[in-house]
Amino acid sequence: MENEKIIKFYEILSRDFKIFAENDNDWEANGLSDTDFKSLVSVMLSTMTHTKRVITAAVALYEVANTPQEIVKLTDEELIELIRPVAHYNRKTKHLKEMSQQLLDKHAGKVPRTEEKLLALQGVGRKCASIMLNFNFGGNIIAVDSHVHRVLNRVGILKTKTNEQTAEIINRITPLKFKKHAHEWIIQQGMNTCTARKPKCSNCLLVTICSEYKVVNKTN
């Protein structure tokens, strides 16, 4: 039964949402993923920050610096001003400079292509590493952020407490044919329909399998 539910979940989402490459994608249109390094920096900037603010900061940054060598040459004050639109810009400034220096010292300025080496970089967590592996390096890995975690738990696919638990389990139980684009479908569901506040259940195609929808409507 649970296996049937997760298959139905992905079948519905894959019909309802296009993958990023098929959408008018502001992220790609503004060059945030033109290179592996820009992709990595853009994802690091995106933590706890709305996409529009990430794009504003990234575009300003990449006009001045878009390689590890150029990042490390910036003063902290210069980098802070460039990425000020994003949340936690002071901490991200520190992480970006340290990560860029690590790439120069240990990887000849190139972004490493394994999870272990990505996670060893300053400021790179599991979500960031998973996005790089899936979108840049041809892997089949589901990156989990707050949207993905929320959707999977609301619908009743998982019962987990943290993003880390969610990432471990969803990557294990998702059929291979859905893994490449799972993050893209689920995050769109979380941002557009299954929002944190006031989810749009009346417009949701997952209501037939959603555990929370059944509970809420049983009590109303």
Side-chain angles (χ1 to χ4, degrees), residues 150 154 190 192-203:
R150 179 177 65 254
R154 271 190 181 162
N192 298 309
T193 306
C194 192
T195 51
R197 297 181 181 180
K198 298 181 179 180
K200 303 175 181 66
C201 298
S202 60
N203 298 326

Side-chain angles (χ1 to χ4, degrees), residues 67-75 96-97 100-101 104:
T67 66
Q69 293 89 340
E70 291 171 339
I71 293 284
V72 297
K73 288 180 180 179
L74 294 174
T75 66
L96 287 175
K97 295 195 75 173
S100 296
Q101 192 63 58
L104 294 171

Side-chain angles (χ1 to χ4, degrees), residues 18-23 25 27-28 32-40 42-43 46 111-113 118 126-145 148 171 178-188:
K18 295 179 180 179
I19 62 174
F20 293 162
E22 297 171 344
N23 283 324
N25 191 327
W27 188 281
E28 293 189 2
L32 270 66
S33 55
D34 282 354
T35 67
D36 291 340
F37 181 71
K38 289 169 73 172
S39 290
L40 179 60
S42 299
V43 175
S46 72
V111 178
R113 303 171 70 93
L118 284 166
R126 182 166 183 174
K127 183 197 80 169
C128 183
S130 295
I131 288 174
M132 293 300 298
L133 291 169
N134 190 71
F135 289 96
N136 291 69
F137 303 141
N140 293 300
I141 298 174
I142 305 170
V144 173
D145 64 1
V148 175
N171 274 286
F178 297 118
K179 289 186 77 172
K180 183 66 179 176
H181 301 298
H183 171 83
E184 299 168 73
W185 298 324
I186 303 171
I187 198 171
Q188 290 180 85

Side-chain angles (χ1 to χ4, degrees), residues 146-161:
S146 58
H147 297 294
V148 175
H149 174 74
R150 179 177 65 254
V151 171
L152 290 170
N153 279 275
R154 271 190 181 162
V155 175
I157 301 297
L158 301 178
K159 293 181 180 179
T160 53
K161 298 292 186 182

Side-chain angles (χ1 to χ4, degrees), residues 40 102 107 112-130 132-133:
L40 179 60
Q102 284 178 289
H107 305 286
R113 303 171 70 93
T114 68
E115 183 177 50
E116 180 182 6
K117 290 180 180 180
L118 284 166
L119 291 175
L121 298 174
Q122 183 67 40
V124 176
R126 182 166 183 174
K127 183 197 80 169
C128 183
S130 295
M132 293 300 298
L133 291 169

